[in-house]
Amino acid sequence: GQSSDGGSGDTIELTIAQNSIAGGKNAAAADYITNWVIPKFEAAEKAKGKTVKVKFVPSGVDDEQYKTKLSLDLKSGKGADVFDLDGIWAGEFAEAGYLKPLSDVVGADADNWDGWAQIPQSVQGLATYNGRKYALPVGTDGRVLYFNKTLFQKAGLPADWQPKSWQEILDAGDKLKAAGVPVPIQINAGTAMGEATTMQGVLPLLAGAGGQLQQDGKWTGASQPLKDALGFYEKIYGGSGLGDPKLQQEAKGRDKSFQQFAGNEIGILLESDYLWRGVLNPETGVAKMADRDQSVGYALIPAEEPGKGINGQDFVSMSGGALRAVNPNSAHPKEAFELAAFTLSPDGLKEETKNGNVRITPRTDVNKEILSAEPLLTYISDKVVPLTAFRPPVAAYTQVSVALQEATAEVVSGKTPDQAAADYQAKLEGIVGGAGNVAS
Amino acid sequence: MSAIELRGLTKVYPGGVKALDSLDLAIPDGEFFALLGPSGCGKTTLLRTIAGLETATGGAVVIGDRDVTGLQPGARDIAMVFQDYALFPHMNVTDNIAYPLRIKKVGKAARQQKAAEVGARLGLEQLMDRRPGQLSGGQQQRVALARVMATQAQAFLFDEPLSNLDARLRLEARTFLKKLQHELGVTTVFVTHDQAEALAMADRMAVMESGHIRQIGTPAEVFQRPANTFVAGFIGSTPMNLLDGVVRGDTLEVSGCKLAVPQSAEGLLHDGEKIVYGVRPEYNVYSAGPVDGSLGGNVSIVENLGASYLVTLDVNGVLVQAVVPEGHEPLIGDEGYALPRRDRALIYRDGELVPA
Amino acid sequence: MSAIELRGLTKVYPGGVKALDSLDLAIPDGEFFALLGPSGCGKTTLLRTIAGLETATGGAVVIGDRDVTGLQPGARDIAMVFQDYALFPHMNVTDNIAYPLRIKKVGKAARQQKAAEVGARLGLEQLMDRRPGQLSGGQQQRVALARVMATQAQAFLFDEPLSNLDARLRLEARTFLKKLQHELGVTTVFVTHDQAEALAMADRMAVMESGHIRQIGTPAEVFQRPANTFVAGFIGSTPMNLLDGVVRGDTLEVSGCKLAVPQSAEGLLHDGEKIVYGVRPEYNVYSAGPVDGSLGGNVSIVENLGASYLVTLDVNGVLVQAVVPEGHEPLIGDEGYALPRRDRALIYRDGELVPA
Amino acid sequence: MAQATLPPEVLDDAKARRYSADAAGLGRLRAGAFVAPALALISLFLVFPALWVLYLGLSNYRLTGAAAAAPQSVGFDNFVKALTDPEFWNSTWLTFEFVLGSAVIGQVVLGFLLAWIMRDRTGPLKRIVEGLVILAWILPSAVVSFLWVALLDRDDGTLNTLLHSQDFAPLLDHPMLSIIVFNTWRGAAFSMMLYGAALGNVPPSHLESARLAGASGWQQLRDVVFPHIRGHVLTNLLLISLWTFNDFTPFLLTAGGPDGKTEVLAVHVYQVALQGGELGYGAAVSTVILLINLVVAVFYLRLLRSKK
Amino acid sequence: MTRFVLHRIGFYVLIAVLLAFFTVPLLWLASAPFTSDPTYQVRLPDFTSENFRAILDNPYALGSLWNSVVLAAGTAVLVVVFAALAAYALSRVRLPGRDALLYTLLLLSSIITGTAAMVPLFQLAVELHLIDSQLGLILIMTGGLLPAAIFMMKDFMDSTPKSYEESARVFGASPLQIVRHVVVPLVRPGLATIAVWAVANVWGNFLMPYLLLSDVEKQPAAVIMYTLYTEGGQANIKLLATFGLLYSVPVVLMYLFVSKKYGFRFHGGIKR
Ligand SMILES: Nc1ncnc2c1ncn2[C@@H]1O[C@H](COP(=O)(O)OP(=O)(O)OP(=O)(O)O)[C@@H](O)[C@H]1O
Ligand SMILES: Nc1ncnc2c1ncn2[C@@H]1O[C@H](COP(=O)(O)OP(=O)(O)OP(=O)(O)O)[C@@H](O)[C@H]1O
Ligand SMILES: [Mg+2]
Ligand SMILES: [Mg+2]
């Protein structure tokens, strides 16, 4: 951020940081920044008569560690001029003063950015805290139920399966089980899976039961929707044989669930679009599935019963997404914002998503074009994003999330949903500062 | 109490060092036997092989009338005192002495009584509660002896038990030890590299060199008639003069002097043959004036031996030593003559005593 | 080469042990001076205080005519050989010998030449590239000497340099060392606890006891007329007989026997007073039959000393030793008589020699 | 080597005790100068931050959120919170199991066993055994954790392959035992080396006198070896207990799971401070760990001094 | 005799069990990097070099190994030099409160390796302008390792005979000369042991290098190892196994070198 201090009078030096690195984690994103954004942006600025030098600061670590490093940097007035962060961190960063409203940092340019018009409200919400925009959304995602068509066929289930209620999922699971599928249903649970349990497990279920983590400034405790969600876990892991309780405890359980899904051992799996893009991808996935396009089906996550989901929905999902922020300490906030915006320009996004690196960008105009060849992402963009929900972007969320994971773990290891919900409420009160902030 | 017999005992260390080379030795019951030899000659190895701490490569060890070659050390019924005494530093004197009994599962009261008894015999009554670290060297040595005595073993093995003591204590200890062995009558093998110790204490002794025994005999035999130049050079508080000479008729020519043929070799030498003439400094009679048949030269060193002096003469470039009683010692540079006693001088041919 | 003088030297260790107690000593230039005494009497401390390795608690150390009391060891211009030689195990012989020169910033070529020279003088030519671990004890000792010689110091300090050698090597080494010192003429202080070594090597010697000097003199003086019973008991390869006695007119009654008053004490004793009668075994003339004025008893131990025997008589419960020439040794249990030489026997009153 | 009248250890020992004073003539001042660079680095990069941690423990400092911008002193609230938190006690208990199992029993016993059976051996066998043991010690933990996941994996794990067993999941069914065995494997080298040196200092003649008296192997250990190496045992215990107490590597294997069954204190602090962002509370827990370490150290030192 | 035979058999069985215990976990590292599609299963490798090519394509892999070498060597050198000097002085001169100081430092050093200390250390580095500086990181890690190093080193120093130093001193050597000429050569195995210990510690350290070095060009292998995961945190076993092997080789080589050259020796026991 302060790097410009040392630069010669008219050269503006900018840095951009992401949790991505060439040859490692999110390599494609890193390549995009270094090979396209930086040269193009410098050229564009040159054309405007400004000499700008951009440096990319790569990283390739756990999100927690990236967050720690980012926080420490920002706290001490350092850090890159432009940096990425998980949308869920917006609130806590804002409260800590690590992030400031864009219009305060950059000025009117921020509000006048032409991209806003292309970004759906729900996605804009990711970057919004207390009604003000703190960053640019980088994209979004969504969760669906994947299923293995080969196994479904064996079990006599349709290839265009779309359950309407939780019971239908369980019924399908029974049939799969009867057909000898080792793991009929995998819904992430337990602490070992970490946030995957929350986002690909308990939160979609909670939403499906009509519950929300936080409502009107109060946290939801041992409410009926939570008990229902935990009850669903019990039906899968509590001796029915529909799920594999041990897998939920393994430190590398999620990896293994991917391997097993790719290896035709799991019938139904609740996951995000990342499974399709990054895991099963026949070319670049970590658990490649050569016949992904033929044998993997997907369906919306149903509410517990039709109309019982949040806002009376029949189907639900959860979404997250990254943000690209301008460092409040930046010496050149305007140029930094320009850089951030440049990375999210239509041309840029198209460039970034070339060569199979397709993801759901924040811009509808771009999505239309790039997703056309990707049925799943189109499906998510069209069908899921409109009905999806987001996590509360507040500091306490991380701990609440852990408490939720622990609640599912308790159910998997044999406690009743009521008991687990009560334990959750007790922990919640500890986290959010007393029973006054909790509604049950 | 039993005799010890070694038959063709051989010990080769891993690495190829042949420390004992087919060695035969018989030590009768009750004898105090000293093993003497330069460093590295195999004394310790011999002792340790008897004890079973090293396994013999070949040959047999017989104690009493048991062949113990294959037995564990603990089963051989022998006791050993190590050079450093090997007292356990964390046990007091009583416990140290009683340790072998504890291993033999003797009851606590019984073994403490035995320890007290043996300790008293060695004058340790006042020290029974101390730890080894609080004892002087001589006291430690007595504790080590007491521990050995408490075992009532068939034989005692001592590996240089006195060499850690200072010179004065050593003298006392050797008198003490000798007396004790005499009283107990236990067969004892005593290793030392101090020839004075061996001479003073042993009933019989053996001189070893690189895994072989070079001479066995009583101290007087070994001192007066060393069987070969090796033993001759090794035994004696001052080394024997070993001078190269040639037989010239009935006389000998030794470094330019004419000497008489010693009594023991009379008639056994051939004219012109090369021999080594050996005479101990104690048997060289010194005089300030020329004497027939003596070795004459200039005094180069005079060392005080207490009641006598060791005078080194430079006889035509060869050093010859003689012991001179006090009051008669010369000054450095004086002329002097050493007359060997014919009854004590010896002749070595090819390193072996004549007659063998 | 300089004289060494100690004035009222006191050393108190932290913890309160007074190792040297206001000690005065003057060692003239070029003298070979031996320090003798039992373990713990302060010999090492004295040497180390001279060297500056310990700081004196009181008094002064003067070397040549410099008061060096406050100087660092390196500035005192002395050289010291430690008991364990302290050869640097990671350097070869050349580097070890040249080390003092390296410290003095002598160039590499010059110091290697000097090392070669000194090494040659001590017969180390073949060994210059070896490490200390590859040398025998005697060779190590010579390297330590060479290193000290290379320094060309004013004085040499030796702390029991021979006690790590085996008995045979020790004899050779002491002759060698004595000769070397004689040639170099460097003032030398030599610490030992072996009285034979001190007698044989020293020009003069001091006997210490717990931080005090008990006697200073030539070896002959100290051996023949020990100034007190402590020295008398300490010096001599066999300890002096020290017998309690009472003056009865012109004779002495010692353990039931009537003895003549020694020449040296004639006319100095009072009737009835209690004295200690001292006579060395070497000065006890032994005979098998009764002799007037002798100590008679039964032989309890006979020890071989080589060309003579040490016979211990039990005289009415008191042990008396005499040296008997070979061929005359009695058997254990025989009756025997020891007649002290009047010119060599001594009288001690309250532990001090009469006349002082 | 030529004859030494005194066995070297006797000589060394006596010398060391008697002339422990300033052999090189360093003097306090120069000794100070020698210690200074180390002390400077330690003060700056260890003592100062460590005190800072103690201070942080008294605040509600967080990585993010409002408390990051303006941390407030909360007195001993964090400590009260820790001491009333069952998870903390759970972690403490697990840590004791972990330290006791893997350090005090595992590493010490295995390390001693290795040193003992290798004590008078030379040649390739010794080199191979020692090399492998030390390899386990020096490999980076990131790599080592993979090795053990591969070993203990429920489906394809080498252990399952070797045992021809199905679905044997040590990390899930016996998580604590797994990390104890793991840490024993990982750390035995240090104890082995230390005991190797210690055993070298046991005078052979003492062992042999015991053998001559007929003592069995166990009796020799009890009566001769242990009394001799007590000091080494305690140094070793102190160091490896401290290290194991603060060892974070189990996290790489089990991530504290399943269900917190392996959430030892070091992992607990990691989760509290890094994943939960509660730096103040994390610092307080660290302080408590420090105090526990202190108690352990004092306990060992007492033990060392007691029978002297 | 039969007892003896049984004894032998027992001994070799025990050795075999121990060897297996220490070898079996290592098998994966020997096979996975050479297998085309490695999983957690140990399989007979098909000896592909593709994985190595893949890791060499990583722009940071080799550089990070070099950085690790720099950091480890730098830290080891500082730790050894400073610990040796300090341990020597502490061993030879009774400074007041020496033992208490050592134990306190040893205890405090355990806190510094934990997560809780990262904030103070980071802030300190910021204030001292040591962020993004390998030297700064080396200094910080040295500070953390020094107490234990001094503690162990002091045992080595305590057990070297003092007469060597006294002898050098009589010849007029200065204290530093004594340390250089005499003490260091004598305790070399100890120095080697401490050096290996320090290297192994630095080699595996992830958190501090990651926090204090932003510039990826300066980051060590421990950090780069973490980048070989995917967006969702999935291990790229292929790369990880291969890099893990490369990452292990230098420490192993260093150990072999040191153990051959100096041998390992430990001293222990708190002497008073
Ligand atoms: N454990 C061993 N391994 C290999 N060689 C050995 C071993 N012990 C002794 N030796 C060698 O065997 C020979 C005899 O050694 P031993 O210890 O018996 O001699 P020694 O006569 O007792 O000598 P010293 O007087 O020095 O005690 C020597 O050459 C020695 O180096
Ligand atoms: N560093 C020390 N601290 C305390 N006391 C000491 C120290 N060094 C020696 N002493 C004590 O000072 C006295 C004299 O010791 P010193 O070493 O000078 O005796 P020594 O005559 O050389 O004995 P030895 O013949 O055993 O070498 C002894 O009582 C000894 O215990
Ligand atoms: Mg021996
Ligand atoms: Mg001394």
Side-chain angles (χ1 to χ4, degrees), chain C residues 151-165:
Chain C
T151 60
Q152 293 176 306
Q154 304 256 24
F156 290 166
L157 308 176
F158 293 154
D159 192 1
E160 311 200 11
L162 307 185
S163 67
N164 273 348
L165 302 182

Side-chain angles (χ1 to χ4, degrees), chain B residues 186-206:
Chain B
V186 178
T187 317
T188 300
V189 184
F190 185 95
V191 162
T192 176
H193 60 233
D194 182 346
Q195 54 82 33
E197 219 166 83
L199 289 178
M201 297 172 76
D203 294 329
R204 281 197 316 147
M205 60 192 279

Side-chain angles (χ1 to χ4, degrees), chain B residues 13-15 17-19 37-46 54 83 159-160 191 193, chain D residues 2-4:
Chain B
Y13 279 110
V17 179
K18 199 171 212 169
S39 185
C41 70
K43 306 181 293 294
T44 299
T45 306
L46 181 56
E54 304 286 350
Q83 184 173 349
D159 192 2
E160 313 199 11
V191 162
H193 60 233
Chain D
Q3 171 66 34

Side-chain angles (χ1 to χ4, degrees), chain E residues 17-73:
Chain E
V17 168
L18 287 173
L19 271 179
F21 178 57
F22 281 95
T23 317
V24 169
L26 297 172
L27 292 178
W28 188 76
L29 193 60
S31 78
F34 306 98
T35 311
S36 300
D37 244 325
T39 58
Y40 285 126
Q41 195 173 13
V42 173
R43 281 174 295 179
L44 264 192
D46 53 358
F47 296 106
T48 171
S49 59
E50 178 212 340
N51 300 341
F52 288 91
R53 227 169 294 127
I55 202 75
L56 292 182
D57 282 344
N58 184 305
Y60 307 114
L62 289 184
S64 73
L65 284 173
W66 173 246
N67 289 333
S68 281
V69 169
V70 169
L71 291 174

Side-chain angles (χ1 to χ4, degrees), chain B residues 60-306:
Chain B
V61 177
V62 181
I63 298 179
D65 28 40
R66 276 199 309 165
D67 182 333
V68 298
T69 321
L71 293 187
Q72 281 290 310
R76 294 188 178 199
D77 209 3
I78 37 143
M80 181 157 171
V81 174
F82 292 81
Q83 184 173 349
D84 58 359
Y85 310 142
L87 299 178
F88 303 139
H90 56 286
M91 296 184 187
N92 66 17
V93 170
T94 304
D95 291 345
N96 260 296
I97 297 179
Y99 185 75
L101 303 174
R102 180 168 150 211
I103 293 296
K104 298 215 169 71
K105 300 229 174 356
V106 175
K108 182 159 182 157
R111 63 180 194 249
Q112 288 205 331
Q113 198 202 321
K114 176 82 186 172
E117 208 177 291
V118 178
R121 177 135 181 217
L122 293 175
L124 296 167
E125 300 94 331
Q126 309 301 319
L127 311 172
M128 299 302 280
D129 289 330
R130 296 220 198 144
R131 299 251 174 123
Q134 300 166 301
L135 300 177
S136 76
Q139 292 166 335
Q140 288 186 22
Q141 195 228 8
R142 273 183 284 158
V143 176
L145 284 176
R147 184 168 63 177
V148 156
M149 282 171 59
T151 59
Q152 290 175 307
Q154 304 257 23
F156 290 166
L157 307 177
F158 293 154
D159 192 2
E160 313 199 11
L162 307 184
S163 65
N164 272 347
L165 302 181
D166 81 19
R168 171 73 19 198
L169 266 176
R170 191 135 81 200
L171 284 178
E172 283 166 25
R174 94 188 181 196
T175 308
F176 176 84
L177 199 64
K178 172 77 195 167
K179 221 168 125 185
L180 190 73
Q181 194 269 341
H182 200 82
E183 284 168 31
L184 296 175
V186 178
T187 317
T188 300
V189 184
F190 185 95
V191 162
T192 176
H193 60 233
D194 182 346
Q195 54 82 33
E197 219 166 83
L199 289 178
M201 297 172 76
D203 294 329
R204 281 197 316 147
M205 60 192 279
V207 180
M208 284 183 72
E209 186 193 10
S210 50
H212 296 269
I213 289 184
R214 301 302 306 268
Q215 185 171 9
I216 297 191
T218 63
E221 278 164 19
V222 173
F223 183 82
Q224 290 172 10
R225 294 186 52 80
N228 44 55
T229 47
F230 172 77
V231 175
F234 198 80
I235 297 292
S237 64
T238 53
M240 186 186 276
N241 296 297
L242 290 170
L243 311 167
D244 289 324
V246 183
V247 181
R248 298 264 182 247
D250 340 330
T251 58
L252 303 171
E253 187 184 319
V254 175
S255 47
C257 303
K258 246 195 173 60
L259 302 184
V261 174
Q263 281 168 4
S264 58
E266 250 169 343
L268 299 170
L269 303 180
H270 320 295
D271 192 16
E273 95 177 302
K274 289 192 170 170
I275 47 95
V276 169
Y277 184 89
V279 61
R280 294 205 174 277
E282 293 92 334
Y283 301 138
N284 257 341
V285 181
Y286 180 85
S287 55
V291 180
D292 244 19
S294 69
L295 295 150
N298 290 323
V299 175
S300 68
I301 312 171
V302 178
E303 289 176 49
N304 187 335
L305 299 178

Side-chain angles (χ1 to χ4, degrees), chain C residues 58-232:
Chain C
V61 178
V62 180
I63 297 178
D65 28 42
R66 280 196 307 165
D67 182 332
V68 298
T69 321
L71 294 185
Q72 280 290 309
R76 295 187 177 199
D77 208 4
I78 37 136
M80 181 158 172
V81 174
F82 292 79
Q83 184 173 350
D84 57 0
Y85 309 141
L87 297 178
F88 303 131
H90 55 285
M91 297 183 188
N92 65 17
V93 170
T94 304
D95 291 345
N96 260 296
I97 298 179
Y99 186 75
L101 303 173
R102 179 165 159 210
I103 292 297
K104 298 216 167 72
K105 300 231 175 348
V106 175
K108 183 157 185 162
R111 64 180 195 248
Q112 288 206 331
Q113 199 202 320
K114 176 82 185 171
E117 209 177 289
V118 178
R121 176 138 180 213
L122 293 176
L124 296 167
E125 301 94 332
Q126 308 303 318
L127 312 172
M128 300 303 280
D129 289 330
R130 297 220 197 144
R131 299 250 174 125
Q134 301 165 302
L135 301 177
S136 78
Q139 293 166 334
Q140 288 185 23
Q141 194 227 9
R142 274 185 282 156
V143 175
L145 285 175
R147 184 168 66 173
V148 156
M149 281 170 60
T151 60
Q152 293 176 306
Q154 304 256 24
F156 290 166
L157 308 176
F158 293 154
D159 192 1
E160 311 200 11
L162 307 185
S163 67
N164 273 348
L165 302 182
D166 81 19
R168 171 71 23 195
L169 265 175
R170 192 135 83 200
L171 282 178
E172 285 166 24
R174 92 188 181 197
T175 308
F176 176 83
L177 198 64
K178 173 76 193 165
K179 222 168 124 185
L180 190 73
Q181 194 268 344
H182 200 80
E183 285 169 28
L184 296 175
V186 179
T187 318
T188 300
V189 184
F190 185 97
V191 162
T192 176
H193 60 231
D194 181 347
Q195 54 84 32
E197 218 165 84
L199 289 178
M201 298 172 76
D203 294 329
R204 281 199 314 148
M205 60 190 281
V207 180
M208 287 183 70
E209 187 193 11
S210 50
H212 296 269
I213 288 182
R214 302 301 307 264
Q215 184 170 9
I216 297 190
T218 63
E221 279 164 20
V222 173
F223 182 81
Q224 289 172 12
R225 294 185 53 79
N228 44 55
T229 47
F230 173 77
V231 175

